[in-house]
């Protein structure tokens, strides 16, 4: 190691102190998933973020968790989060009501490269709650639809009851310029759609692999197999992007928890190109 | 570095130095003996230093031993490092209070304490410079660290007798102190002689020497000190070739050797607690019983715990092997990708304080010798 004279360190705003936001609406999406719309308590504050970024959300006295932003990046007066109740903090968050306050730090992390390739086919592959961090990218793309060739959403949920944003998916389906395919792992009576994991939709999805950019989010195992399926079709590894999940305590690369080999998922990710992480993602317990 | 004046200090002149800073509102921290180890704590005078003591170290072994002389800094490094002052083991980051059905967040770290660190070794300065980069060199910084760091007056000491577990010559971080200090001391002990050569490394350091009126050192006095420092490099019992360590470790994630090298590991986390560069921490959010006042507390954490990598569904690193691998690869390899330098300064603490004596140097050698590349 080379020892050099230390540089002068500058004190900046404390990134560990949350800003206070108020819940403007709460919507139950599925039995265990809800969406909160938050508004800064301080008047006139805009919340600007890029699709794919996340916030650290703080429930008073309970704790803080990283939650991706699921709303429209162009609606800067509010910020939207879709959360599944799986742990202490998210369960407490699920009990909050309209008007309650919540702490917000962010936005943090990398984003879906929505402008990387104009004129390309865009393939969005989502598994379960993985649709939430992709929704800002969908809003962004549909608003600039003319910049892309085909736009395709492949979405897999566990059961028909677990499908997120049902009403919105119907609206998307009704557009002529957005192809939406939904599948469920297990059908129920009355389900007339596809049954099977989301990767089964990839071989028959109508996109041009040579000219495609893909955004993938879901459980890690689903992202691994989705990437392999896309590569099998001929999509370049550099054009496949995934969003990783790891334990995070700070969101800003100072706590060490989210290390994934040489990268910090919180600040180098969560969105990575497949080529960036392919050497590690198939190894166990990295 | 430009050639500075050298000053002569008699042993008990250090008391003048301590008084100089105490009268200027500084707290003086230095080595002292507690619980049969040399630790860093607030010191009142030279009498609190481990005068005439040394430390014997081996893998999983640490004992204090009487020296044949009255050296002040005749030991190497103990279980403490200076990070405990700059990056406290437990720190309240904020308090939040409920007020009229709403809540507000208050920054509670408003104190502006000034510290003197006495007896900082070359490896420890490197460790501080590494943490400077982590907490102060990126897009986001830790204002609590930066404030503390800016208020430190650093009195370094050259090592003249490396310990059994020391390998700073291999990591390029010692034994000679070359930068990052306000004052550098070299202790010289001969049969009938005991003195320090002091060199300023900053304006504040120069000001101290001038104010206290120490005389300039004679050439022969400087020569004796230089001789000791120059000879230290030949006294190392350990060395490791770090060339290619970054590549070797990252190419060997799946080498079965990991099972072998981590076989004894108890995942106690001692190595991460004593390491002067380990920076991982966790956040605990708590409330009072009435639920009116909440606190966010930051604590040192260790990558050896199951909780460390927990995401819903389970821990990412559930095996002992994977947790040991994370630590060692981070120290000697991925740290370089993250911060441009290795996370090891060759102080040997992790070897000494490992209850089963796991040896990072020997383990790296095994990987370098291993022909299995996956």
């Amino acid at each position: 190691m080379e020892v050099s004279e230390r540089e002068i360190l500058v004190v900046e705003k404390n990134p560990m102190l949350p800003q206070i936001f108020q819940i403007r609406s709460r919507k139950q999406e599925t039995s265990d998933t809800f969406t909160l719309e938050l508004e800064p308590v301080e008047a006139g504050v805009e919340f600007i973020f890029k699709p794919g970024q996340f916030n650290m959300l703080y429930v008073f006295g309970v704790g803080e968790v990283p939650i991706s932003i699921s709303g429209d990046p162009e609606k800067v007066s509010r910020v939207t989060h879709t959360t599944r109740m799986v742990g202490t903090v998210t369960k407490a968050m699920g009990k909050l009501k309209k008007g309650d306050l919540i702490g917000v730090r962010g936005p943090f992390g990398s984003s879906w490269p929505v402008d990387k390739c104009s004129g390309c086919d865009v393939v969005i592959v989502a598994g379960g709650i993985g649709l939430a961090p992709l929704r800002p990218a969908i809003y962004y793309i549909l608003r600039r639809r003319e910049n892309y060739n085909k736009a395709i959403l492949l979405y897999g949920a566990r059961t028909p009851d677990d499908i997120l944003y049902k009403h919105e998916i119907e609206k998307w389906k009704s557009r002529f310029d957005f192809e939406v395919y939904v599948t469920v792992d297990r059908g129920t009576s009355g389900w007339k759609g596809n049954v099977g994991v989301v990767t089964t939709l990839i071989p028959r999805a109508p996109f041009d692999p040579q000219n495609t950019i893909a955004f993938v989010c879901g459980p890690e195992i689903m992202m691994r197999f989705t990437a392999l399926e896309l590569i099998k079709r001929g999509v370049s590894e550099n054009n496949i992007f995934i969003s990783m999940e790891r334990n995070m305590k700070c969101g800003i690369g100072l706590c060490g928890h989210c290390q994934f080999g040489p990268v910090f998922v919180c600040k180098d990710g969560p969105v990575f190109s497949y080529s960036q992480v392919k050497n590690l993602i198939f190894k166990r317990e990295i | 570095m430009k050639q500075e004046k050298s000053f002569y200090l008699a042993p008990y002149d250090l008391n003048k130095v301590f008084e100089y800073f105490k009268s200027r509102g500084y707290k003086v921290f230095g080595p002292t003996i507690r619980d049969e180890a040399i630790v860093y704590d607030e010191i009142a005078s030279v009498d609190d230093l481990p005068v005439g003591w040394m430390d014997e170290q081996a893998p999983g072994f640490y004992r204090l031993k009487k020296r044949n002389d009255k050296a002040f800094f005749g030991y190497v490094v103990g279980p403490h490092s200076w990070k405990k002052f700059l990056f406290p083991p437990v720190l309240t980051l904020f308090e939040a209070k409920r007020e009229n059905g709403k809540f507000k967040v208050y920054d509670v770290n408003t104190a502006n304490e000034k510290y003197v660190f006495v007896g900082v070794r070359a490896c420890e300065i490197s460790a501080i410079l590494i943490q400077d980069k982590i907490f102060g060199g990126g897009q986001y910084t830790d204002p609590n660290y930066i404030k503390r760091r800016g208020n430190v007056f650093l009195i370094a000491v050259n090592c003249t007798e490396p310990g059994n577990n020391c390998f700073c010559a291999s990591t390029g971080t010692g034994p000679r102190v070359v930068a990052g200090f306000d004052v550098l001391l070299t202790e010289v002990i001969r049969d009938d002689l005991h003195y320090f050569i002091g060199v300023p490394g900053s304006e504040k350091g120069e000001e101290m020497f001038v104010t206290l009126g120490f005389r300039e050192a004679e050439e022969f006095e400087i020569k004796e000190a230089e001789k000791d420092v120059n000879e230290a490099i030949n006294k190392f019992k350990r060395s490791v070739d770090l060339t290619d360590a970054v590549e070797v470790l990252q190419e060997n994630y799946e080498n079965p050797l990991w099972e072998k090298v981590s076989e004894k590991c108890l995942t106690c986390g001692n190595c991460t607690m004593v390491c002067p560069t380990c920076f991982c921490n966790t956040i605990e959010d708590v409330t009072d019983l009435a639920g009116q006042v909440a606190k966010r507390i930051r604590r040192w954490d260790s990558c050896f715990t199951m909780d460390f990598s927990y995401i819903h569904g389970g821990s990412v690193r559930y095996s002992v092997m994977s947790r040991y691998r994370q630590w060692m690869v981070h120290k000697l390899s991925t740290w370089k990708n993250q911060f441009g330098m290795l996370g090891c300064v060759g102080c040997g603490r992790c070897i000494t304080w490992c209850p089963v004596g796991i040896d990072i140097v020997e383990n790296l050698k095994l990987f370098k010798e291993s022909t299995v590349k996956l």
Side-chain angles (χ1 to χ4, degrees):
Chain A
M1 196 190 87
E2 277 182 30
V3 180
S4 57
E5 291 284 350
R6 74 184 154 108
E7 288 158 31
I8 292 166
L9 305 172
V10 187
V11 178
E12 283 164 24
K13 212 178 110 212
N14 192 338
M16 288 305 285
L17 301 186
Q19 305 292 306
I20 310 293
F21 279 57
Q22 187 166 39
I23 297 171
R24 301 304 304 182
S25 74
R26 183 197 185 282
K27 188 181 173 209
Q28 191 72 29
E29 299 282 358
T30 68
S31 63
D32 61 0
T33 306
F34 61 95
T35 297
L36 297 179
E37 250 192 321
L38 313 173
E39 193 177 69
V41 165
E42 200 181 324
V45 175
E46 292 190 336
F47 191 89
I48 295 161
F49 74 98
K50 294 188 190 119
Q53 288 192 296
F54 69 94
N55 279 327
M56 297 298 292
L57 298 186
Y58 170 63
V59 180
F60 180 86
V62 181
E64 198 182 47
V65 282
I67 305 286
S68 57
I69 304 167
S70 66
D72 188 337
E74 252 122 310
K75 291 185 178 158
V76 293
S77 62
R78 291 186 180 186
V79 58
T80 303
H81 289 278
T82 304
T83 309
R84 221 176 106 206
M85 292 177 267
V86 288
T88 316
V89 181
T90 50
K91 279 174 189 159
M93 198 185 296
K95 287 179 188 148
L96 297 178
K97 294 180 290 289
K98 183 179 171 180
D100 286 345
L101 299 185
I102 197 164
V104 177
R105 296 191 295 120
F108 297 133
S110 62
S111 55
W112 302 110
V114 281
D115 295 318
K116 185 174 184 263
C117 140
S118 70
C120 279
D121 290 349
V122 190
V123 178
I124 291 165
V125 191
I129 188 87
L131 183 57
L134 285 163
R135 192 167 69 160
I138 295 174
Y139 290 137
Y140 185 96
I141 288 159
L142 293 181
R143 192 166 267 142
R144 294 163 187 76
R145 188 60 191 83
E146 66 284 1
N147 293 352
Y148 306 87
N149 190 30
K150 279 186 174 160
I152 299 171
L153 169 65
L154 310 176
Y155 177 44
R158 276 175 302 178
T159 71
D161 290 337
D162 291 312
I163 294 172
L164 272 188
Y165 312 136
K166 274 196 192 90
H167 180 68
E168 209 162 11
I169 285 178
E170 288 310 312
K171 261 190 3 203
W172 290 337
K173 274 184 174 168
S174 68
R175 288 178 70 131
F176 293 111
D177 59 356
F178 192 25
E179 294 182 50
V180 179
Y181 302 90
V182 180
T183 181
V184 295
D185 295 349
R186 275 170 285 128
T188 47
S189 60
W191 174 253
K192 294 188 180 63
N194 298 300
V195 176
V197 292
V198 73
T199 46
T200 59
L201 299 176
I202 294 168
R204 50 203 165 102
F207 58 87
D208 171 13
Q210 310 300 324
N211 190 32
T212 285
I213 186 163
F215 303 146
V216 185
C217 188
E220 206 167 299
I221 186 166
M222 165 267 177
M223 295 195 287
R224 286 199 287 259
F225 284 101
T226 299
L228 290 179
E229 249 347 282
L230 289 166
I231 290 162
K232 211 189 275 175
R233 283 271 318 252
V235 181
S236 153
E237 287 178 355
N238 296 320
N239 283 338
I240 301 171
F241 294 86
I242 67 170
S243 181
M244 297 281 298
E245 183 188 7
R246 281 295 180 271
N247 186 309
M248 291 178 193
K249 295 292 182 190
C250 73
I252 52 180
L254 300 182
C255 80
H257 281 256
C258 69
Q259 285 177 72
F260 182 54
V263 298
F264 290 98
V265 172
C266 71
K267 64 174 182 145
D268 302 313
V271 176
F272 293 100
S273 75
Y274 178 76
S275 48
Q276 255 178 301
V277 292
K278 65 172 180 179
N279 286 331
L280 290 179
I281 202 168
F282 289 96
K283 296 191 170 86
R284 297 173 74 93
E285 298 188 77
I286 301 293
Chain B
M1 206 183 75
K2 72 175 196 286
Q3 200 51 49
E4 299 284 353
K5 277 183 188 168
S6 298
F7 295 88
Y8 173 94
L9 284 79
Y12 279 79
D13 282 345
L14 285 189
N15 278 336
K16 293 181 195 162
V17 172
F18 301 163
E19 286 309 318
Y20 172 89
F21 285 105
K22 279 193 241 170
S23 68
R24 283 164 177 75
Y26 283 82
K27 278 187 175 174
V28 179
F29 293 109
T32 192
I33 293 180
R34 198 171 70 214
D35 300 335
E36 295 175 54
I38 291 165
V39 299
Y40 297 146
D41 207 341
E42 197 163 357
I43 53 170
S45 74
V46 164
D47 297 333
D48 287 338
L49 296 175
V51 180
W53 287 93
M54 62 180 294
D55 44 11
E56 273 192 313
Q57 303 194 29
F61 182 90
Y62 178 96
R63 295 288 184 279
L64 291 185
K65 204 173 109 181
K66 271 280 179 198
R67 295 175 60 92
N68 300 324
D69 57 30
K70 293 283 174 204
F72 288 9
F73 300 98
Y75 60 93
V76 196
V77 288
H80 284 187
S81 69
W82 303 99
K83 79 174 178 184
K84 73 170 195 164
F85 301 111
L86 298 169
F87 164 52
V90 181
L91 182 71
T92 300
L93 295 179
F94 68 70
E95 267 184 27
K97 289 178 184 152
R98 277 198 200 279
E99 288 161 16
N100 311 319
K102 301 190 179 335
F103 74 88
K104 275 189 178 167
V105 173
Y106 299 93
D107 192 347
V108 290
N109 290 291
T110 47
N112 222 10
E113 292 196 323
K114 295 193 284 186
Y115 304 138
V116 181
F117 292 171
V118 179
V120 187
R121 307 306 174 109
C123 61
E124 299 187 302
I125 291 179
S126 293
I128 293 172
L129 294 173
I130 288 172
Q131 289 211 329
D132 283 355
K133 179 112 188 195
I134 294 163
F135 291 120
Q139 184 190 355
Y140 295 99
T141 54
D142 172 10
N144 295 312
Y145 179 91
I146 292 170
K147 199 162 72 182
R148 284 178 167 74
R149 180 70 172 101
N151 287 338
V152 168
F153 186 93
L154 199 151
I155 301 179
V157 169
N158 268 322
C159 277
T160 53
E161 295 170 18
N164 282 342
N165 286 344
C166 291
F167 56 102
C168 63
S170 302
T171 49
T173 51
R176 182 189 279 275
V177 174
V178 293
F181 58 89
D182 293 296
V183 165
L184 169 60
L185 300 177
T186 306
E187 186 171 26
V188 179
I189 294 199
R190 301 288 180 268
D191 291 341
D192 49 348
L193 281 175
H194 187 189
Y195 64 89
F196 289 94
I197 297 295
V199 180
S202 70
E203 274 177 30
K204 276 196 282 179
E206 247 170 53
E207 200 183 306
M208 183 204 84
F209 281 115
V210 171
T211 312
L212 290 175
F214 295 128
R215 72 163 168 85
E216 279 188 41
E218 306 282 347
E219 203 161 310
F220 78 94
E221 290 164 340
I222 299 171
K223 248 186 201 158
E224 288 298 311
E226 274 301 300
K227 199 179 112 207
D228 286 359
V229 179
N230 286 335
E231 280 174 8
I233 194 101
N234 303 318
K235 295 180 183 166
F236 280 87
K237 297 186 182 75
R238 273 171 183 277
S239 68
V240 57
D241 178 10
L242 287 163
T243 325
D244 304 332
V246 173
E247 295 77 15
V248 166
L249 289 175
Q250 286 187 55
E251 283 162 12
N252 277 279
Y253 267 115
E254 291 178 307
N255 192 324
L257 197 51
W258 285 112
E259 291 290 350
K260 195 178 155 231
V261 300
S262 63
E263 214 173 13
K264 290 191 290 179
C265 179
L266 307 167
T267 66
C268 68
N270 264 16
C271 50
T272 56
M273 297 293 110
V274 296
C275 177
T277 68
C278 271
F279 63 92
C280 287
N281 57 84
T282 190
I283 298 295
E284 287 171 8
D285 286 294
V286 296
T287 53
D288 63 347
L289 284 175
Q292 295 302 301
V293 181
K295 279 183 185 177
R296 172 164 298 165
I297 297 165
R298 185 184 74 185
R299 282 177 195 278
W300 286 1
D301 203 358
S302 171
C303 52
F304 283 90
T305 71
M306 283 286 264
D307 261 2
F308 189 85
S309 63
Y310 183 85
I311 45 178
H312 81 91
S315 290
V316 172
R317 292 185 280 272
Y318 49 86
S319 69
V320 172
M321 179 283 288
S322 71
R323 280 175 272 154
Y324 181 76
R325 179 178 67 184
Q326 163 63 26
W327 178 74
M328 184 171 154
V329 174
H330 191 209
K331 288 281 136 190
L332 297 180
S333 177
T334 51
W335 203 290
K336 177 107 182 175
N337 304 77
Q338 295 167 355
F339 303 108
M341 62 211 3
L342 294 187
C344 177
V345 295
C347 70
R349 283 182 178 88
C350 59
I351 305 170
T352 301
W353 295 94
C354 175
V356 291
I358 296 176
D359 189 328
I360 191 169
V361 170
E362 292 307 313
N363 285 349
L364 179 65
K365 286 180 187 164
L366 290 178
F367 278 100
K368 294 191 79 163
E369 286 160 14
S370 162
T371 49
V372 185
K373 288 207 173 179
L374 299 167

